[in-house]
Amino acid sequence: MSSLTSNDARFVEPEGARNYITHDYGALSWLLTKDHKRIAILYLISITALFMLGGFFAVVMRIELLTPEGDLLTSDTYNKFFTLHGIVMIFFFLIPSIPAVLGNFLLPLMLGAKDLAFPKINLLSWYLYIIAAVMGLYIIITGGVDTGWTFYTPFSTQYSNTHVFGVTFAAFIVGFSSILTGLNFLVTIHRMRAPGLTWFRLPLFVWAMYATSIVQLLATPVLAITLVMLMFERVVHVGIFDPALGGDPLLFQHMFWFYSHPAVYIMILPAMGVASEVVAAFTRKKIFGYSFVAYSSLAIAFLGFLVWAHHMFVAGISVYSAMIFSFLSYFVAVPSAIKVFNWTATLYRGSVALLTPMLYILGFIGLFTIGGVTGLFLAAIGLDVHVTDTYFVVAHFHYIMVGGAVMAYMAGLHYWWPKITGRMYPEWWARLAALLIFAGFNLTFFPQFILGYLGMPRRYHAYAPEFQVLNVMSTAGASVLAVGYALPLCYLIWSLWYGRPAGPNPWGAVGLEWTTSSPPPMENFHETPVVTWDAYDYPAMLKAMGETQNV
Amino acid sequence: MPLWIYFAVFAALTAGTLLTWWVSTIDLGMLNTPIALFIATTKAVLVILFFMHVIHSPRLTWVVIIASFLWLGVLFVLTFADYLTRTWKIY
Amino acid sequence: MSVVTNEHPAHEHHPFLQHHFEDLGQQHEASTLGMWMFLTTEILFFGGLLMAYWIYRIMYPDAWSLGAAQQHALYGGINTIVLIISSLTMALAVRNAQLGKRMATVRMLVATLVFGGTFLLVKSIEYTQHWREGLFPGVHFTWNETPALAPKVQLFMTFYWSLTGLHALHMVIGAGLLIWMIWRAWRGHFGPEYYSPVEVMGLYWHFVDIVWIFLFAFLYLIPAAGGHHG
């Protein structure tokens, strides 16, 4: 690929040198570790398990929707399935996915630091995640919950007789896990950068993690207090959200979406960071308009807080405020569009290597754009009233969350897999899986745009017969998607033993994480690096790499 | 920081507490609430600046604090943008 | 790539310098920044509850002044002063730790703990009285004065209990941290080079004090609704 290959003599590890995986053995050395790389692995295993659980709910729902009649699940069970699918996928997979796995692993490496600023708190946040996940599993086994992942009052406080308290408490705890991760990242980025690593030399992934962490830090506490009020109301039967006692159910929605709309940016901002890294590495170019991409992350983090009530246009908010929120919603599209333009401009006339991570990112750019543009449809009050609570909304947010966030997560996982494990994944199988996921995804969710526009409401287990053809297409797509997600699980595990040794820098990429061995040693770098180059500065970097060969 | 500043701030905080209490006993109509808010905010600022040493803190600390209140302001302003403009009067 | 062979200088390693920091200065900056960011989340946590409080206060001004009239402003006032004193002693403890005065630090921390305990004692007296008077929201809530306003006064009491309850919970956590700090100060862990734990503890304690300053004004001192409603 380039002059930087795994055979490079200076990267050959001395015989028997230890890396973070072989540094210590035994379950306790993992469960009590304070090393950010090991904690990232703990997260990787746990979120993969939860992803499969969430996927199971999705598959059963798609099978139910194969026919118009409700024949597989009762309406009550279906309500629980879509609720649990949402809760598991959002709180336990998407929000921790890129930050807690890739961010945890890479942030100190990209900054040239030995660890995050607060290693113990990092481990604590994994334990909080696990406690919440175990609570969630217990609730799923003992009967589930049926409020929808949004926990809307007064249904959640007065009428639902499922495990609302337990599941909101679990969401409360996993929220703290998310806050602590964000706090840790912010302090690390501010205080732990290697000498010479100025803000505008940071990789864009770090900028994206910084913006994500701001959102985690500032939005999650509001969800926490909202859930506290909900639990208090449910247990003591006070009237904060009960109109009969003077409360206002809409207040819950306001406070819930103050978190949950920015939460979308907790999922998509890291994905954008991965996209920047991968695009630069596989075009061998500087990212076009670096500072625009960096600042647009911050702009998204801020503007994302100003738009939440566009989820409530038909809920009874004042017309005046609906107009304000609609107007503000358009602004979020600007920084997102800037990023898409910049990636495209970087691709333009680059020698694009169509390896697996790049395939995923090309898919990401396209699908995210569709998701974003349909988001603009929904921000327009008139159109939103027409498609509220239809499959149009379902399709829209799956294009953002699955087409956007999950595609980028897969890209990142493949791109950094050699760094994390020291082994290459099998390229042919990986490309096949990427193509299957792309095709399966579109077949699953594009018909749902049409279904929604034609008026099929979401969250029902049965539907009118005229919607069946499109639903069958969607279910067929879901089967392809399921195979697509199962493949990486198999070949990535396979590669742990049989994959080709990767060497420190299989892609010939720039960035501090590629200057240390794979897997990295316990202390990350053999010597503290000093940074004298800009991010993605391929020519200068390659020249500088040449010099050290003579050291 | 010299010792007398701590005691001066303490005296100001105590005075502020007594003042809030005294003001609450007289009816100033619309003005009561803003005055109480003003005194409480002043006390909070004194604690932040001197007891929490923010006056000698790096700029980043200032940014963090201002950002917190800015975001809290966003929550208040945009939520009230709904409540105060509903067609049925809530107040 | 230019690499500096960064051999750790042979100077003696401070016992409380964690391995992933370069020096104590970096460690100190990281821990104070971390605490400030934690306080940011606390501001939004309490802020969210206070926003709900204000929405209903604007909706139901009469119920709010009735509810506040059930509070004993004297207890609240005493507790405000008690907390302000504890903030002063906390600030002095940080100062003493910074100057390396071991026993003075311990004394000031113990004083902070005593005043914090006093606050919680007074608070629990108030709670007991409210409980007996049927002012805890829910099925036991009793309010006969103005039956039409009963649900709204209950709403006020809901905010009273949740705001002061969360505040008291923070006080209890703070007291636990204080006991730990007293032990560490006693062992002579702190000095001009290393005092970040006391400083960070102080930030937390002052924040809890600030929350109370607002709660006192919001829950105890609402004048009989005049002027702006109707």
Side-chain angles (χ1 to χ4, degrees), chain A residues 116-117 191 236 240 246 248 544 548, chain C residues 1 20 26 41 44 56 60 137-138:
Chain A
L116 291 175
R191 294 290 182 231
V236 188
I240 306 175
D248 179 17
T548 36
Chain C
M1 186 177 117
H20 59 292
Q26 191 190 26
T41 71
L44 282 143
Y56 294 124
Y60 312 121

Side-chain angles (χ1 to χ4, degrees), chain A residues 116-119 186-187 191-192 217-218 221 225 229 232 236 238 240 246 248 251 255 515 527-528 530 544-545 548, chain C residues 1-4 6 19-21 26 29-30 34 37-38 40-41 44-45 48-49 52 55-56 60 137-138 155 158 166:
Chain A
L116 291 175
F118 307 114
L186 284 174
V187 175
R191 294 290 182 231
M192 311 280 287
L217 196 74
L218 291 164
I225 192 66
M229 288 196 274
F232 194 43
V236 188
V238 296
I240 306 175
D248 179 17
L251 180 61
M255 296 182 70
T515 63
E527 299 108 354
T528 304
V530 172
M545 295 283 260
T548 36
Chain C
M1 186 177 117
S2 59
V3 165
V4 180
N6 186 3
H19 82 285
H20 59 292
F21 289 113
Q26 191 190 26
E29 286 184 342
M37 288 188 173
F38 178 73
T40 295
T41 71
L44 282 143
F45 187 74
L49 194 52
I55 283 172
Y56 294 124
Y60 312 121
L155 208 50
T158 304
L166 283 174

Side-chain angles (χ1 to χ4, degrees), chain A residues 56-103:
Chain A
F56 162 76
F57 292 124
V59 166
V60 180
M61 280 192 290
R62 273 327 310 174
I63 296 174
E64 162 62 57
L65 293 171
L66 205 49
T67 57
E69 305 82 28
D71 31 27
L72 179 63
L73 302 174
T74 64
S75 52
D76 282 342
T77 319
Y78 186 82
N79 290 346
K80 289 178 181 174
F81 270 50
F82 73 68
T83 302
L84 293 168
H85 171 70
I87 290 171
V88 168
M89 285 302 202
I90 289 169
F91 290 119
F92 293 97
F93 174 71
L94 282 166
I95 289 193
S97 63
I98 299 178
V101 178
L102 299 175

Side-chain angles (χ1 to χ4, degrees), chain A residues 113-120 172 176 179-180 182-183 186-187 190-193 210 216-219 221-222 224-225 228-229 232 236-242 244-249 251 254-255 258 512 515 527-533 541 543-548 551, chain C residues 1-8 18-22 25-53 55-56 59-60 136-140 150-155 157-163 166 180:
Chain A
K114 292 192 189 107
D115 207 322
L116 291 175
F118 307 114
K120 281 184 209 156
F172 177 82
F176 277 98
I179 288 175
L180 293 178
L183 189 153
L186 284 174
V187 175
H190 269 289
R191 294 290 182 231
M192 311 280 287
R193 299 192 306 274
Y210 186 80
Q216 285 177 304
L217 196 74
L218 291 164
V222 178
I225 192 66
V228 167
M229 288 196 274
F232 194 43
V236 188
H237 302 292
V238 296
I240 306 175
F241 305 119
D242 178 5
L245 294 174
D248 179 17
L251 180 61
H254 271 300
M255 296 182 70
F258 180 85
L512 281 177
T515 63
E527 299 108 354
T528 304
V530 172
V531 181
T532 52
W533 58 86
M541 183 76 176
K543 217 175 98 196
M545 295 283 260
E547 282 165 14
T548 36
V551 172
Chain C
M1 186 177 117
S2 59
V3 165
V4 180
T5 320
N6 186 3
E7 276 174 34
H8 258 294
Q18 291 173 287
H19 82 285
H20 59 292
F21 289 113
E22 291 296 324
Q26 191 190 26
Q27 180 170 319
H28 178 80
E29 286 184 342
S31 48
T32 45
L33 181 61
M35 181 43 95
W36 273 110
M37 288 188 173
F38 178 73
L39 295 184
T40 295
T41 71
E42 292 276 25
I43 288 170
L44 282 143
F45 187 74
F46 278 102
L49 194 52
L50 282 175
M51 187 188 70
Y53 162 96
I55 283 172
Y56 294 124
M59 282 188 194
Y60 312 121
F136 188 79
V139 282
H140 299 296
K152 280 100 189 182
V153 176
Q154 172 175 265
L155 208 50
M157 289 311 294
T158 304
F159 283 106
Y160 169 82
W161 282 89
S162 45
L163 282 165
L166 283 174
W180 184 37

Side-chain angles (χ1 to χ4, degrees), chain A residues 204-226:
Chain A
L204 288 165
F205 182 76
V206 176
W207 277 96
M209 290 314 311
Y210 186 80
T212 309
S213 304
I214 290 177
V215 182
Q216 285 177 304
L217 196 74
L218 291 164
T220 321
V222 178
L223 175 75
I225 192 66
T226 313

Side-chain angles (χ1 to χ4, degrees), chain A residues 25-47:
Chain A
Y25 293 97
L28 278 186
S29 78
W30 285 86
L31 292 175
L32 297 179
T33 185
K34 282 176 277 171
D35 178 48
H36 67 102
K37 302 181 287 303
R38 287 190 158 206
I39 294 171
I41 301 291
L42 293 177
Y43 267 116
L44 175 65
I45 296 166
S46 17
I47 72 162

